[in-house]
Structures are given as structure tokens and as C-alpha cells.
Amino acid sequence: MEVIYAAFLALMSPDVLLVILLSSIFGLFVGAIPGLTATMAVALLVPVTFFMPPLPAIAAIVSVSAMAIFAGDIPSALLRIPGTPSSAAYTDAAYRLTMRGKGELVLGACVVTSAVGGLVGAIFLMFFAPAVARFALNISSYEYFWLVCLGLTSAAFIAPGSTLKGMISLLLGLLVAMIGLFPVTGQPRFAFGSTALYGGVGLVATLIGMFAIAEILRFALSRDPLPPMATTKIGNIFKGLMPELWRSRRNLASGIVVGTVTGPLPGAGADIAAWISYALARKTTRNREEFDKGSLEGIVAAGGANNASVSTSYVPATVLGIPGDSMTAIVIGVLFMKGLTPGPQIFENQPTLIYGIFLSFILANLLMIPLGYTAIKLSRYLLDVPRSYLMPVILLFCVVGAFAMDNTLVAIVTMLVFGVVGWFMEENGFPIAPALLGIVLGRMLEETFLTSMIKAQGDFLQLFSRPIAGTIGVITILIWLSPLIMMVVKRVRRRGAVA
Amino acid sequence: MKVSDIIMGPIIAGIGILAIVAASMQPKPFFGTGYGGGFFPSIIGYALVVAGGLLLVNGWRQRDVQPLVVMGSWVRSPTHMANAAVVLGVLVFYILFSNFLGFVIAGFVVVFATLLQFTRSPVRSLILAGVTTLVVKFAFQDMLLVPLPWGLLEPYAGVLSWR
């Protein structure tokens, strides 16, 4: 309790509060504008957080991610365009209800369920993460190696679209992570004689390239005009909301459970939590016809789920240093930049910081109600901001942001290259998130493997010698083999059917 | 721009082969485990070759329905092609000339050229580019102490700084 009190005091200092407030407003702004994603908001914020102490830096990222995920609901309901991918599951339903004159109710439900979902997730994170950390203190490089493998594998397999393309994206990310000095002997590897690449490819420049420059390029080439807003007048969003929410309380509860459980799973982010809980709400609804026409049940379930998963996705990130999605990958990168190694030891070495991060989730989700309300009220102006004016301004922020990390033009070259690569990958159905996770975790994968091999004197089977390592190892290998197994099962069934 | 898997497969496999060749040039380990700097990259290389091969097979199966290259609708619009060219062009311009011109001038050019291309409004572009450059300069150079290049404005650095 003393630690929590100290963390609370640290969080309540005026400069940290100001950072949280400003980054929340930034998150709401970016999340509400279609085409600018929550990950882009975080990527643009990282260069600024570099100049802050660790607590406000991570609290800023926490606030931005929570607010942006909620704010994505605003254009969903008003324009039928999800502001962030995690709102996509219920965009149709939200827009249909808005067209039927229930825009206020939908937006009210979105802000309240997001805040409630985020809060429950944050409380789960506070109580569950230390327990996992205590358990994680006993795990060795063998378990770490398999955990990283499992995380990367899940990221590639769960990513939207083709599994094969997810795997290729992951492999390309891992290949990029190999650039730099080889950790054991310190010899340069794939640096092409450039000393600038000895430290590896800059993570922040890569991030800004893949998530911001790629988006600017997409905007530059896009010929689709924005649709007109469904309603321009938004009254009291809380009017009549509570009875409606009470009616959908089971959906909200199941959504929050789905989000809370999905968050820590490697590879499954807020988007997947929203889709699963929306599908679950559809399956359990009493009136499927009404549900498909657009009902609050699905919106309530998925709205709570995506914010709950944002909170709990910090469990593996802080406890094991293994990110589950692109946003927590960035958080891990920021912790490393601050000289902090995420892992179970962080709970012993930096308890105030870690509980400060957890408390910042609670604060951000509490702030979501008043700030979200204001954002909804201002949505007419927010959604009217012309992207043709916004994108060039963001472009300059990208340039300076990438440069600020290493003070070298190589970072801007990296940003440009990865911007084009990111745009090309998305155009061709290669998901970006596995590549990013590969870049962040590639080094850890190699280092845990080499440490294990040194300990085991090169005996590969030793990786299965401990019960947990062996179990995770077998699960990971089964996931790798699953496409093959599925193919064999299909063939056998087909033969059975023919016979 | 959607490229068929028939083309993407060999490209991915080619990257894999390059990785294997580059990994083989890594020095052999002289102590410890026998796993050197080339071990992981070569595994990734082999995996990319296999994945590229599978992608090629997928593409071949869908060859009747999937054209080799499908360009986006932007290809028929000179404005949109110019949009992308300007975005890429200003970034290359900044990389090449920012040290000589300095951030203030090069940054202004980046925003102004892109704004002008996107909005076709010279006056607004001029004002917004000026304001953006000054805000970014103040935030990053004066507040966060990022050493943005002064370039041609070096003699006026003292006057132009708020610190």
C-alpha cells in the first residue's frame, strides 16, 4: 500500500498531471480524425517523451492510447469511418443508430463503456501483474525464449488477413532486428559498412515511418472523399443512457471480460477484443434481427472490450518485457530508452514507477468521461479539420521527431524508407504489427537463445528440459505446425467424404 | 498498388537468399556454443525462402483471378501522383539540404510545398507553413534542446533563440 501511495503522490505532481492532460487531448484529437490511428498518435508522441522522466513519459503514452481508442468511436458513429481500427467492429451498428436519431445515445454509451472497460482492466492490471511478476522471477532464459517465440508466433497468426503474409511480415521484422552489432562477439552485422547502423535500425524512426509517413502517403494517393456527417447537432449524451446501459449490462460485463482476457494474450490487441466481444454479443442476443439492424448491445460489449484490453495488454509488457501489440511494443522501446529493462525485476527495482504507470491508467480512464464529453461536443469542428492542412504539419513533426532521437539524418532516411515499405506492405495485405514486434523482440529472441545455448553447451533439447519451458515450447511448435495439421485433417475428411 | 503473389513470392525468397548469403559471410564462432552471428539470420533467410515459395504457389493458384499488378485509381490522376511525389520529394530535399539551409528554411520548404500541393492555396500555405515551422522550432530546438541544424541562419542563432 505504501508503494501505491508513493506512486499516487508521484502521479499527482502538477507537471505529470499536465503531461497527462495534454497527451489526453492529443490522443482524443488524433483518435477522432479518421486516418490517424492510435498507434500513430503514440509514435508521434515518443520523440517528445524521450525528454521526460520515465513516469510522465509512460503516463503520456497510456493516456494517448486510452483516449485515442475511445475517440475512434466518434467518426464511427458520425461518418461511418472508424477513427481507429479497434472501432471497426461496431462502426456499422453505431452509424445505423445515429441515422435513426440515436447519435447522442451511441456516443454516450461509447464514452461510458470505454471508461468502465478501461477502469476494470486497469484494476485487473494492478492486482494481477505483480502476481505474474512473482511467478516470472523464477523463469529462466529457456522460458523467456519460448515466451518470445509464442508472442511472435501469435502476432503473426492472429494478424488480420493471410497467416502466410503475417509470418513474412514477422520474418522481415526479425531480419531488420539483426542489423547492428552481434551481441555475443560485438562484430558488425548487416551494417553495410555504415557506422550509423552499428546500433541497429532506429526504432522510433521506423515507427514514425511505418505508422505516420505510410498514412500520409495513403492520404496523398487517396481519391475517396469524406462522407457527410450523419448529424451535426449533438445534445446531451447522458440523457436516457443509464437505463439503456442497465438493459445491456450483461453485454458490457462479457465485453469487459473478453477485453481483459484478450489484452495480455500475445498478438491480440484492442481490435481483436472488439471483434470477439461483438461476435459474442451477436451470438447471445435474444433478437438477432434487431441486433443486425444496429443495436446498443454490440456497441456496449465491444466498446468496453477494446479499452479493457488496452489496460491489460500492459501485463506481459511490464512483467515479461514482451509486447502483445504495437502500442505496448512502443512502451517497451521507451522503457529501454530510459535505461529501464521491463521484466519481473522492475517490480522490485522501480515499484513507484510501475504502480505509477498502473495508476495513470485509472486516471486516464476517469479523465475520459469529461474530456470525452467535450470531444464529442466539439466533434463537428474536430471532424471538419481538413486533412489536406493537417498532413503537411504532421509531416514536419515526423521529420523532427525522427531526428530528435539520434540527432542524425540517418533517422530521417530510415523513416522515409520504412514509410514507403509500410505503405507498400499494407497495400499488399502484409500486416504491419508483426514486423514491428519482430523489430522490437528480435534481439531478445536471439539473446535468450544464445544464453540458453551457452548454458546448455549447445544442446538444443535442453530448451524443453524445464516443465514450463517445455510446455510453452510444445504449444509454440504446435501453432507453427497447425496449418500443416489443418491441411492433413481437411484431406482426410475430403477422402472420407468421397469414400 | 497491388502486386500479385507470383511476383511477391520470388521477391521475398530473394530477400531470404540474400540473408543466407550475408549470414554465411559472418565470422564463425570461436568460442562457446557454435552459434555465431550468422545463425539466426540464416534461419530467417531459409524461412523467407520457404514462405516466398508458398506465396508463389498461392499466386500461381490464383493467377486467373489475380492480375500481376493492379495500380490504384491514383495512377489515372496526375494530381494524386504529384501529391505522393511531393511528399517523397520534400523528405529527400530535407535529407539533402537541411544541413546547408538549416531547419528553419528547409522545414518551411517541406511544409509549404506539401501544403501548396494539397490545398492549392498559396496565402494560407505560406501562413500555416511559417507558423508550423516556428512552433516546431520553438518546441524542439528551444524547449527540448534538440540540436536542429542552423545552416545559413547560423550567424543569427543568438537572435533567433528564445534561450
Side-chain angles (χ1 to χ4, degrees), chain A residues 11-324:
Chain A
L11 196 67
M12 284 298 121
S13 71
D15 52 335
V16 180
L17 287 178
L18 185 67
V19 165
I20 291 177
L21 184 69
L22 291 177
S23 36
S24 297
I25 294 169
F26 175 67
L28 284 171
F29 179 74
V30 175
I33 291 178
L36 311 185
T37 61
T39 320
M40 179 180 177
V42 179
L44 287 174
L45 193 75
V46 172
V48 181
T49 61
F50 182 65
F51 299 93
M52 296 176 192
L55 180 59
I58 308 288
I61 292 177
V62 164
S63 316
V64 160
S65 47
M67 295 290 174
I69 294 285
F70 150 68
D73 298 349
I74 301 176
S76 290
L78 299 178
L79 295 176
R80 200 164 170 261
I81 300 174
T84 64
S86 61
S87 305
Y90 49 98
T91 294
D92 261 341
Y95 187 73
R96 277 185 193 171
L97 281 176
T98 308
M99 291 304 273
R100 296 207 310 247
K102 291 185 176 177
E104 284 136 15
L105 190 68
V106 170
L107 288 166
C110 287
V111 71
V112 173
T113 54
S114 296
V116 173
L119 275 174
V120 175
I123 292 165
F124 177 84
L125 171 70
M126 270 187 86
F127 289 99
F128 192 64
V132 178
R134 270 193 294 279
F135 167 75
L137 274 172
N138 297 320
I139 66 178
S140 69
S141 62
Y142 298 143
E143 284 85 5
Y144 258 113
F145 170 73
W146 284 120
L147 277 170
V148 174
C149 275
L150 181 65
L152 290 174
T153 309
S154 311
F157 272 71
I158 297 176
S162 139
T163 307
L164 181 61
K165 289 189 171 175
M167 287 300 284
I168 291 171
S169 171
L170 170 68
L171 290 167
L172 292 175
L174 286 172
L175 198 60
V176 172
M178 297 294 127
I179 296 172
L181 297 179
F182 177 50
V184 175
T185 55
Q187 282 155 327
R189 187 169 56 175
F190 299 171
F192 311 107
S194 159
T195 46
L197 287 175
Y198 280 10
V201 173
L203 176 66
V204 176
T206 312
L207 272 175
I208 295 178
M210 282 182 145
F211 291 103
I213 298 294
E215 200 58 62
I216 295 172
L217 274 176
R218 233 184 319 276
F219 168 77
L221 293 169
S222 165
R223 296 183 72 178
D224 306 327
L226 274 181
M229 266 171 73
T231 173
T232 48
K233 202 173 145 225
I234 296 164
N236 183 3
I237 58 166
F238 299 118
K239 194 177 159 194
L241 179 64
M242 282 311 142
E244 286 286 345
L245 283 184
W246 183 249
R247 218 169 292 152
S248 307
R249 61 188 181 280
R250 277 198 196 141
N251 296 100
L252 178 60
S254 70
I256 290 174
V257 171
V258 168
T260 308
V261 174
T262 320
L265 294 180
D271 327 356
I272 287 167
W275 281 108
I276 295 176
S277 53
Y278 190 79
L280 197 69
R282 187 172 184 271
K283 205 165 192 179
T284 54
T285 184
R286 284 186 192 140
N287 192 341
R288 181 77 61 92
E289 212 170 291
E290 183 65 27
F291 188 96
D292 287 341
K293 278 185 197 161
S295 86
L296 215 57
E297 288 169 89
I299 298 170
V300 162
N306 57 16
N307 271 67
S309 84
V310 169
S311 302
T312 53
S313 66
Y314 277 60
V315 174
T318 51
V319 174
L320 300 166
I322 298 172

Side-chain angles (χ1 to χ4, degrees), chain A residues 375-391:
Chain A
I376 290 168
K377 279 286 183 192
L378 295 174
S379 56
R380 186 164 27 132
Y381 308 101
L382 218 59
L383 296 175
D384 267 355
V385 176
R387 253 120 290 197
S388 48
Y389 284 96
L390 205 57
M391 291 300 189

